[in-house]
Amino acid sequence: MSVQPAEPRVAASGAELSALIVAIASRADREAFARLFRHFAPRVKSYLVRSGLSANAAEELAQETLLTVWRKAAYFDPTRAAASTWIFTIARNLSIDLKRRERYGDTYQAETHEDEVDETSGETILMTAEREARVRAALAKLSEEQATIVRLSFFQEKPHSQIAQELGIPLGTAKSRVRLALNRLRALLEDLK
């Protein structure tokens, strides 16, 4: 299964994504998995490419991440973290494992990914969830215009040209607004590390 671009429809809410994982865990719902895969695979691949992996390695790890979600869906607790937090933590752990194997070669004996996901699911997911909550609170302090720009640019991963077209503004204005919104968000989150 190749990683395809993200679905063009409106992004699913956190509750909808969590419900998909619960459906996978409770009844091995293949349709729920297909929807989750279509939503997250391109986003995970993009995240992995930005973290320094080649496009091919990122695609393989994105697929491995979603397969881990299928196998470990029962470990997901929607009261402790968002679906995206849990999935991106899995992707991050798999990426770290890959980099370790590349660095240390055959001498590195990685434990199974399932064990690592279970070990880090507590503190790491909690810290990430707290960080997400702080980002949401900071977004709420932005003007509606700035919050919309940030959502379109980063959460929906739309290019500046598409943002300009959707908002009916010139491309330069869209770029300017993205920059200004990020500067404001950065100021609100400056103590967040």
Side-chain angles (χ1 to χ4, degrees):
M1 196 181 290
S2 173
V3 174
Q4 300 298 317
E7 291 181 321
R9 73 177 197 89
V10 177
S13 72
E16 291 171 331
L17 297 171
S18 294
L20 292 175
I21 297 174
V22 170
I24 294 166
S26 63
R27 58 183 188 277
D29 187 326
R30 291 179 182 270
E31 178 58 32
F33 180 72
R35 288 185 56 209
L36 199 71
F37 189 96
R38 284 191 304 270
H39 180 82
F40 277 108
R43 289 165 175 81
V44 170
K45 179 182 176 184
S46 177
Y47 162 75
L48 293 169
V49 167
R50 285 191 309 261
S51 75
L53 293 180
S54 70
N56 287 339
E59 181 159 351
E60 287 181 28
L61 273 187
Q63 291 179 17
E64 190 173 341
T65 298
L66 275 295
L67 287 175
T68 300
V69 169
W70 174 263
R71 289 191 311 266
K72 305 300 272 180
Y75 290 97
F76 174 67
D77 181 355
T79 63
R80 292 178 58 194
S84 58
T85 302
W86 189 66
I87 291 171
F88 279 96
T89 299
I90 292 170
R92 184 182 135 275
N93 291 339
L94 291 175
S95 175
I96 290 168
D97 284 350
L98 176 66
K99 289 174 182 174
R100 285 179 183 157
R101 282 192 304 273
E102 288 174 350
R103 183 173 178 191
Y104 297 112
D106 293 333
T107 60
Y108 175 71
Q109 296 296 321
E111 294 182 17
T112 63
H113 300 301
E114 294 97 26
D115 291 342
E116 189 163 334
V117 170
D118 292 344
E119 290 172 11
T120 61
S121 64
E123 184 179 352
T124 302
I125 288 178
L126 180 61
M127 288 174 52
T128 306
E130 288 173 357
R131 182 173 287 156
E132 271 189 3
R134 297 249 341 263
V135 170
R136 279 192 206 101
L139 275 171
K141 292 179 182 177
L142 294 178
S143 69
E144 184 58 38
E145 177 184 278
Q146 288 179 330
T148 299
I149 287 281
V150 169
R151 283 187 197 98
L152 291 171
S153 181
F154 292 94
F155 297 119
Q156 295 181 19
E157 299 177 359
K158 293 185 178 183
H160 292 140
S161 59
Q162 190 175 355
I163 292 170
Q165 183 180 11
E166 282 186 29
L167 297 179
I169 58 176
L171 178 60
T173 303
K175 289 180 180 182
S176 235
R177 287 183 183 176
V178 168
R179 184 178 40 78
L180 291 171
L182 288 179
N183 287 340
R184 173 82 172 118
L185 195 58
R186 192 174 294 120
L188 290 168
L189 296 169
E190 66 184 8
D191 65 324
L192 183 63
K193 298 291 179 194

